[in-house]
Amino acid sequence: MTELAEKLYNTGDLSDSELKALIETDNSETAELLRRYADETRQKSYGKKVFLRGLIEVSSYCRNDCLYCGIRRSNKEADRYRLSREEIMSCCENGYGLGFRTFVMQGGEDSFFTDDFMCSVISEIKEKYPDCAVTLSLGERSYDSYKRMKEAGADRYLLRHEAASEELYSKLHPAEMSLAHRKECLFQLRELGYQVGAGFMVGAPYQTTDHIIADLRFLQELRPQMIGIGPFVPHHNTPFAEESGGTLALTLRLLGILRLMFPKVLLPATTALGTIAPNGRELGLKTGCNVVMPNLSPVKVRKKYDLYDNKICTGEEAAECRGCLQRRIESAGYEVSAERGDCI
Ligand code: 5AD
Ligand code: FES
């Protein structure tokens, strides 16, 4: 199995059957080798730099009903909120002072956030902080909406494809959602000149190795600048409450594989990874990750952006994720970059 890790390191690709073997192996020597190669590959392009993204969770209202997600519209227990323009601006002010040069506005698909509203917030952020990148993560919107927000100054867009297999996609989403539309959005975003992020959950219910291979092949076709993956974590008020979550070992193997297949991609060590293991994000950084996304949302709303159970960084003690993450990054042997952190 170690020869597969080596082949992937040397060539950047494997056949489906080789990928399958590498994804499924629980051999610890292979895991360690993948980790080493992934770290070497990341250091060749990015050195020891880790880029920070200030995550502002703008709304927990969502018109969608993804079966895995705690803020799905069918969850009547969810305590909903949306941030005002002033609250968003004050998150940015606070974040700029903490050294963030990217702001990510993420939220459910909330029709309150019209194009007019978003465009005026984006322009205000770009005017006040011209040296910062604005990233959006607001789900599926129209081509025209993506276009207007791009023209208003947005730089990047995160939209995980969630599952590149029709069969799995339809088990994770309600009938009115479609993989074809999700992919169309991603290609539109790319065409409009956004730096695009796609990705999927690891260990989602019904997910097989073949589904994961389909995800990797789709990513090769899309060639996104960013790839977000994290373990599936069940949420108690969803149809998947009783399902088991994704594992640390599989998530780390996939992070290593992604780094070797996409040497220059921006790869976050996600909050979900930090949720399933206390040192999950540090292990991610050592396995090819080069981005972390500290929570910048006002503390009073953090518990309400409740995608999955036991999400970290939601308590009073997490008021300052920036400092916490800096310590974690440095303890793992890396350094916080002061740059915007565009894909090279
Ligand atoms: N576990 C892990 N990740 C989740 N997401 C949504 N619900 C869950 C969950 N239960 C992820 C989705 C989405 C991103 C914002 O959060 O992949 O794209
Ligand atoms: Fe948020 Fe540690 S990063 S509390």
Side-chain angles (χ1 to χ4, degrees):
M1 213 55 70
T2 51
E3 63 293 347
L4 289 181
E6 198 171 321
K7 181 172 177 195
L8 184 57
Y9 173 65
N10 289 323
T11 68
D13 204 1
L14 292 176
S15 71
D16 284 3
S17 61
E18 290 171 328
L19 272 177
K20 186 168 181 144
L22 194 57
I23 293 169
E24 288 180 351
T25 184
D26 54 7
N27 178 280
S28 59
E29 205 185 322
T30 308
E32 175 52 22
L33 195 63
L34 253 183
R35 193 201 64 67
R36 253 199 13 239
Y37 284 147
D39 189 44
E40 242 171 67
T41 303
R42 148 294 183 11
Q43 294 211 32
K44 246 180 247 161
S45 308
Y46 292 100
K48 295 205 175 282
K49 283 181 205 164
V50 176
F51 301 119
L52 300 179
R53 318 296 194 201
L55 180 65
I56 307 171
E57 297 158 330
V58 296
S59 175
S60 71
Y61 286 88
C62 192
R63 66 164 148 262
N64 266 343
D65 215 21
C66 306
L67 276 76
Y68 45 83
C69 184
I71 64 168
R72 65 200 302 265
R73 67 161 187 266
S74 300
N75 181 7
K76 302 291 182 242
E77 309 284 298
D79 195 356
R80 312 275 174 176
Y81 75 93
R82 60 173 66 93
L83 299 184
S84 66
R85 172 196 193 90
E86 292 70 29
E87 286 171 312
I88 296 173
M89 291 313 300
S90 106
C91 289
C92 294
E93 189 181 333
N94 172 25
Y96 194 85
L98 290 168
F100 295 110
R101 294 299 175 266
T102 293
F103 300 115
V104 182
M105 288 187 271
Q106 180 175 89
E109 293 191 10
D110 179 358
S111 37
F112 181 87
F113 286 90
T114 59
D115 298 342
D116 284 340
F117 177 82
M118 282 315 304
C119 288
S120 85
V121 174
I122 295 164
S123 335
E124 188 176 343
I125 297 175
K126 293 296 279 193
E127 230 163 80
K128 284 209 171 115
Y129 311 105
D131 53 335
C132 291
V134 169
T135 303
L136 304 174
S137 181
L138 302 169
E140 296 180 12
R141 299 172 75 102
S142 69
Y143 180 85
D144 186 58
S145 166
Y146 290 151
K147 182 161 183 278
R148 287 189 56 198
M149 295 193 296
K150 185 80 185 56
E151 286 162 359
D155 302 279
R156 310 182 184 136
Y157 204 102
L158 308 178
L159 181 68
R160 289 190 178 176
H161 64 279
E162 310 293 0
S165 138
E166 288 281 0
E167 185 239 335
L168 179 59
Y169 191 93
S170 67
K171 287 182 173 153
L172 301 180
H173 300 96
E176 72 270 16
M177 288 178 74
S178 87
L179 176 60
H181 189 252
R182 174 70 48 139
K183 288 185 174 175
E184 188 184 316
C185 289
L186 282 163
F187 285 104
Q188 288 174 347
L189 289 162
R190 196 178 68 171
E191 179 200 316
L192 286 165
Y194 283 94
Q195 297 169 42
V196 171
F200 59 94
M201 292 180 296
V202 176
Y206 311 110
Q207 185 187 55
T208 64
T209 307
D210 287 339
H211 294 137
I212 294 173
I213 293 170
D215 289 319
L216 300 177
R217 297 300 178 212
F218 172 68
L219 291 168
Q220 286 179 318
E221 180 193 341
L222 180 68
R223 282 178 291 104
Q225 282 84 4
M226 304 162 280
I227 299 177
I229 69 163
F232 161 68
V233 184
H235 183 286
H236 62 282
N237 271 330
T238 64
F240 293 159
E242 304 304 325
E243 302 287 335
S244 42
T247 65
L248 177 66
L250 179 58
T251 307
L252 292 174
R253 275 204 301 285
L254 285 168
L255 286 169
I257 290 171
L258 285 169
R259 172 54 69 206
L260 297 182
M261 291 178 78
F262 304 93
K264 306 216 151 127
V265 83
L266 293 160
L267 195 61
T270 56
T271 304
L273 187 58
T275 295
I276 63 163
N279 60 343
R281 288 170 297 179
E282 290 87 327
L283 293 171
L285 291 173
K286 293 181 179 180
T287 316
C289 291
N290 59 344
V291 172
V292 291
M293 301 174 66
N295 198 327
L296 250 191
S297 308
V299 172
K300 65 167 202 246
V301 305
R302 285 193 194 180
K303 285 209 190 308
K304 303 184 190 175
Y305 198 75
D306 183 24
L307 306 185
Y308 47 81
D309 290 344
N310 308 313
K311 185 167 169 250
I312 54 169
C313 303
T314 61
E316 295 292 334
E317 80 292 347
E320 226 254 71
C321 287
R322 169 71 175 75
C324 174
L325 268 169
Q326 171 145 6
R327 288 190 293 280
R328 289 170 183 273
I329 289 164
E330 290 171 358
S331 78
Y334 301 93
E335 63 198 34
V336 171
S337 164
E339 300 158 49
R340 247 173 70 127
D342 292 294
C343 187
I344 58 176

